[in-house]
Amino acid sequence: MARLFDRVLAYGPRVSLYDLQEAHLHVLDRNEDGTAARKHAERLQDPETIRSAKAIRPPGGGLKVDEWKQATVVSADNVVRYLAEFQIGEDDLNAMLANIAVVPAYEHMFVEARCIGPGMLAGASAFGWSVKRENDANGGWLMTAELVLEWRKGNPIGPIAMLHWRLDERGRCVADETSKPLTQAQFPESPDLPGALGNLCESFLMMADGATGVLLMTLGMMHCKNVQTSVMKPEVKQSQRHQRRHGNPLTRYHVLDVRPVTRALDTDGDAKRDGIGAALHRCRGHFKTFRPDAPLFGKLTGQYWWNAHQRGDRRNGAIKAAYRVHPPTGDGVGVVYEGRLAELLPTSGTAEEISSDRSAHAKAAHDAIQDQLAAALEQAGLTPLRPAPHEPQYDLAWQRGNELWIAEVKSTTASNEIRQVRAAIGQVLHYRSELGTADRVVRAAIATEHPVNDATLIEACRTASIVLTSPPEFGHFIRAHSDRAQDSAFIDETN
């Protein structure tokens, strides 16, 4: 069966004023506005109107076929059904998207789906996004996506808009103060009649707003190992027939099985009973990344759909509060740390180039240590925190009673141990001074990649009441100091 992607390659997307006006007729018909539709149809039958309207189009050479052929095609039909089943509103969708990684898994993708339900996406029958990913010089990624709509099979129209997103280092959309992803939109324009194409395309994009949510949800689910992706190969004879007619064989495409997510939200969050919004806050479905140095269950690595709340203790409250993009903690220190997105995408370059990039290795080691410490804190029943924008930029923090712990994380080698730990000592002393109050005791820790060997550094940290720790010791360190904090709290209460 031919997908929208195959039809775009076969017929090419069109975006003249006539194409857009013809699409507008479909919208009027779908809205059952008979009088307006009849008048509009009569105008489109006038030969002069047709000629002039077809001449008004954006400049450019049209579809870059060679570039499109490199795209990985993904069917989002199951994502559309999933969103429709739970009747997810805009606020619920924004809440979900604020906490998932949506960086495209491939440099060039085409994400498409058939429309479900009357009036969906301006009454179109199918839509597709041509998605590109590139590295951002400031960290993270830049993502662009061009929208193609199809009202009548074999007549794709577009791109009607190009949307731009900036993604942070964890692959999440950078959001504004309302927690909505920041986007910029560009619309096709004709130099002969400025505004004619853009105004119509903008109205179609507004009516097709649900297509954006489908795209982002699809990209997010593709990173989840327990959301299966199957490759569908077209039937050989159909593909050969299509190639004879159009010059290209039918494209194989990926299909997402979203049933694990549906089961999680329904079973753990009672989504069908209470609605998807309540389920999301109760279930807090999100993605977690497990690396080879800290695998899930001792053997599994990669990104998973994770329901962290299934632990019947007081942490549930903190986890619910953490569903916002920048959730504050109880006394205004930090926001909940949710891990970093390291090793999400295949690394470009040869193995020799990658191994020689010391700064990249140091950053990856730093992120891995930080995630391991956060995981150890969660296992101990504590909530790991990262700094709010206005706070000193420590790596991790957590609270136990009236104690606030601040940790600085350092990747270390035999040659840089002294330099790294010296820098960390200065940092944690500054953090301790900045965050200490009459009602809060601030304690400091330095987490290093390897145990510190230099005796003078060990003595300097002991004298300054700074705890040195490393990944093999994280559990013991947290338990020991948690027990001490509990003993201190008991003594305070009995005095």
Side-chain angles (χ1 to χ4, degrees), residues 70-74 102-111 131-134 143 219 222-223 229 231 254 344-346:
Q70 304 302 314
T72 298
V73 182
V74 177
V102 295
V103 58
Y106 305 93
E107 289 186 10
H108 189 186
M109 300 174 61
F110 190 82
V111 179
V131 186
K132 294 181 183 178
R133 181 203 78 211
E134 59 183 325
M143 178 173 73
L219 295 176
M222 287 190 70
H223 294 304
T229 302
V231 178
H254 298 246
L344 175 63
L345 303 173

Side-chain angles (χ1 to χ4, degrees), residues 203-390:
S203 68
F204 286 137
L205 179 64
M206 292 177 66
M207 287 184 280
D209 185 55
T212 305
V214 171
L215 169 66
L216 297 178
M217 278 296 297
T218 302
L219 295 176
M221 288 179 175
M222 287 190 70
H223 294 304
C224 181
K225 280 199 171 183
N226 54 342
V227 173
Q228 300 298 318
T229 302
S230 303
V231 178
M232 307 298 292
K233 296 181 180 180
E235 201 275 328
V236 175
K237 290 185 177 180
Q238 287 184 340
S239 182
Q240 291 174 342
R241 186 162 57 247
H242 187 86
Q243 184 168 16
R244 287 195 298 270
R245 291 178 179 177
H246 304 290
N248 295 301
L250 293 176
T251 306
R252 65 178 187 173
Y253 58 95
H254 298 246
V255 175
L256 274 64
D257 178 8
V258 301
R259 286 175 294 179
V261 182
T262 305
R263 286 195 298 267
L265 288 174
D266 187 39
T267 303
D268 301 323
D270 293 319
K272 290 183 177 178
R273 185 189 71 191
D274 298 335
I276 189 72
L280 284 171
H281 286 281
R282 193 176 297 118
C283 181
R284 190 178 173 268
H286 66 282
F287 295 95
K288 258 192 176 182
T289 302
F290 295 90
R291 300 183 180 82
D293 53 359
L296 176 64
F297 304 134
K299 61 181 180 180
L300 301 177
T301 61
Q303 193 159 338
Y304 289 80
W305 180 268
W306 195 260
N307 296 307
H309 77 285
Q310 300 179 61
R311 291 189 294 260
D313 60 29
R314 66 174 183 80
R315 283 173 286 176
N316 288 346
I319 289 173
K320 289 179 184 177
Y323 199 75
R324 289 169 291 174
V325 178
H326 299 297
T329 57
D331 67 351
V333 177
V335 294
V336 175
Y337 177 84
E338 294 176 318
R340 301 178 67 84
L341 192 68
E343 307 301 330
L344 175 63
L345 303 173
T347 307
S348 58
T350 64
E352 292 77 11
E353 291 170 338
I354 296 167
S355 62
S356 65
D357 189 347
R358 295 180 181 179
S359 62
H361 170 78
K363 184 177 185 304
H366 177 282
D367 292 350
I369 300 163
Q370 192 165 304
D371 278 355
Q372 288 178 72
L373 179 55
L377 289 167
E378 287 186 333
Q379 189 172 5
L382 301 170
T383 301
L385 308 172
R386 60 183 174 86
H390 64 279

Side-chain angles (χ1 to χ4, degrees), residues 158-180:
I160 67 161
M162 176 185 285
L163 301 188
H164 303 260
W165 290 271
R166 188 164 68 84
L167 310 177
D168 64 19
E169 59 196 3
R170 294 179 56 209
R172 300 190 308 184
C173 292
V174 175
D176 62 12
E177 63 277 2
T178 67
S179 303
K180 294 181 180 180

